Amino acid sequence: HPELVTLADLIDTAVERVPGAADLAAVTVPASLPPVILDPEHTSRVLSNLLANAVKYGEESPIRVMAKAEGALLVIRVIDHGPGLPAAAAAEAFDAFTQINRMEVDAYGGIGLGLSISQGLVAAMGGRLLHEPTEGGGATFSIELPYKPYTGPGAAR
């Protein structure tokens, strides 16, 4: 259900929803980014999942959430500086019921559906959910969505 949203507000709300995220996350959204048309419920669910993972597995490292328009795409990145995903696990990270089999991660529980569901939600919105290692260590997850800036009445020109 696409709606007109202010991305900074959407991200701030997701950060506030995830226990521990407000203490670790810094949000950067350019003031020049106009309101956008996207599905706020699905986008918020994906952001909340990525933030929860960064809090859980990031070993209390700072989390950066950055959003910007890159050509025809709206890109939202959740970046942590924890241990990251081992290369072998990264290839399967989006598969349903997949968890990294490390002792420090096993202690958190879960059933391994978060990234799989998030990837499905992003795909339903016409986008992609990607992972790459964070430079210097950690994990970066990028939500890429078709960029639909609001151009209706009252929009900045």
Side-chain angles (χ1 to χ4, degrees):
H1 300 281
E3 297 176 23
L4 180 63
V5 298
T6 303
L7 202 52
D9 293 342
L10 182 85
I11 293 170
D12 287 342
T13 299
V15 168
E16 291 169 11
R17 277 190 196 166
V18 176
D23 295 332
L24 299 172
V27 176
T28 305
V29 178
S32 61
L33 187 65
V36 294
I37 299 169
L38 54 73
D39 184 319
E41 185 64 31
H42 284 94
T43 306
S44 182
R45 286 180 190 207
V46 173
L47 277 170
S48 294
N49 181 64
L50 296 178
L51 285 162
N53 284 348
V55 169
K56 257 197 256 188
Y57 306 122
E59 297 182 347
E60 297 186 19
S61 69
I63 300 167
R64 289 185 297 146
V65 183
M66 305 168 65
K68 63 181 178 177
E70 292 182 0
L73 293 176
L74 175 66
V75 180
I76 306 168
R77 290 188 174 90
V78 176
I79 304 161
D80 74 57
H81 295 280
L85 290 172
E92 300 171 353
F94 296 102
D95 294 346
F97 303 107
T98 297
Q99 291 182 296
I100 300 170
N101 190 17
R102 296 192 320 218
M103 291 301 291
E104 67 270 18
V105 174
D106 291 343
Y108 294 111
I111 58 173
L113 287 174
L115 287 176
S116 177
I117 290 170
S118 293
Q119 185 178 49
L121 291 172
V122 172
M125 294 184 287
R128 300 185 312 162
L129 179 60
L130 307 168
H131 164 266
E132 64 184 329
T134 301
E135 188 174 326
T140 298
F141 286 89
S142 299
I143 303 166
E144 296 182 347
L145 297 170
Y147 180 50
K148 298 175 186 173
Y150 178 66
T151 57
R157 303 238 181 248

